[in-house]
Amino acid sequence: MMIPPLGKQTPGQMRRDDQLLYLMIKPYAGQAAAMDGLRRTHGLSRKYAVDRIHMTLVPFGDIRTISPQNLDLIHRAAASLQAEPFQVTLDRIKGNALVGSRMQAVRDFQRSLVTRLEAFGVDLPDYAFNPHASLTYEEWKPRNTPVSPIRWQVRQLLLINSVHGKGHQLLDSWPLEPRQGSLF
């Protein structure tokens, strides 16, 4: 079953009953609060709940159209991924999103994730990964503003059902484990 691409969908096109499945990472509460502070400081809408701020790694489309077999493959592929924690640093508001200048670690992680999903035969949408955390889904405005860096150590991969108007429903999560012991 082919999943239609999501990249061209805009908030105005979302249906009231959308239930979109994603693999994502999220900042911790302190970093999400700092992102919310940036919205306030830079006059961005704060209608989008702070606890929903995230970085999409792979979108799958409406969960109700995903076969149980493909959903099982997604779970199995994500569970089999062996990856270490990594740092994300976001330091610029570009348009309506927070972006970073050094995103190689998250790009490598996302590429490894996609490779793993493909190895398990997961049906994937056509998606061009562009690491960012959307701060608002209101009208896009041209911005390219440096901000104080917001950093967090990514320690888990999340499988989320994003239910329109209701929030994120955590379906599963997988820890990222250091491969070498700590020296301290």
Side-chain angles (χ1 to χ4, degrees):
M1 167 177 75
M2 284 302 296
I3 301 170
L6 291 176
K8 301 210 186 315
Q9 187 178 42
T10 64
Q13 293 173 308
M14 294 182 79
R15 299 183 344 215
R16 294 186 97 115
D17 66 341
D18 275 343
Q19 293 187 40
L20 303 176
L21 184 67
Y22 298 96
L23 281 166
M24 65 173 62
I25 56 176
K26 286 188 173 193
Y28 300 108
Q31 287 80 6
M35 292 177 190
D36 186 42
L38 289 174
R39 295 192 299 191
R40 192 173 25 259
T41 301
H42 293 275
L44 293 159
S45 171
R46 297 175 63 219
K47 291 180 186 176
Y48 187 67
V50 173
D51 65 346
R52 294 182 74 188
I53 294 174
H54 67 279
M55 187 178 290
T56 297
L57 300 172
V58 181
F60 294 102
D62 193 312
I63 193 170
R64 296 165 297 186
T65 65
I66 299 172
S67 72
Q69 295 82 8
N70 205 43
L71 193 55
D72 180 58
L73 291 173
I74 292 167
H75 280 268
R76 290 176 41 214
S80 74
L81 181 68
Q82 293 185 6
E84 294 192 33
F86 60 92
Q87 185 166 302
V88 170
T89 302
L90 303 173
D91 57 9
R92 179 175 296 279
I93 297 176
K94 190 168 184 179
N96 290 350
L98 194 55
V99 299
S101 53
R102 295 187 176 128
M103 301 300 287
Q104 195 59 49
V106 73
R107 287 180 190 282
D108 291 346
F109 179 73
Q110 192 269 352
R111 193 171 315 121
S112 295
L113 178 59
V114 167
T115 299
R116 202 78 198 131
L117 292 162
E118 289 172 339
F120 273 75
V122 173
D123 292 326
L124 294 172
D126 182 18
Y127 178 64
F129 179 61
N130 180 23
H132 68 279
S134 293
L135 296 173
T136 183
Y137 289 98
E138 300 296 316
E139 181 181 344
W140 188 89
K141 295 193 174 152
R143 290 179 191 85
N144 194 2
T145 308
V147 295
S148 293
I150 296 176
R151 295 179 177 90
W152 81 92
Q153 188 80 8
V154 177
R155 297 182 191 275
Q156 64 179 340
L157 172 63
L158 306 171
L159 182 64
I160 299 287
N161 181 21
S162 180
V163 181
H164 183 74
K166 295 186 179 167
H168 286 170
Q169 176 187 29
L170 178 64
L171 301 179
D172 212 338
S173 65
W174 299 272
L176 306 184
E177 302 287 344
R179 291 189 189 133
Q180 296 180 358
S182 173
L183 298 175
F184 301 99

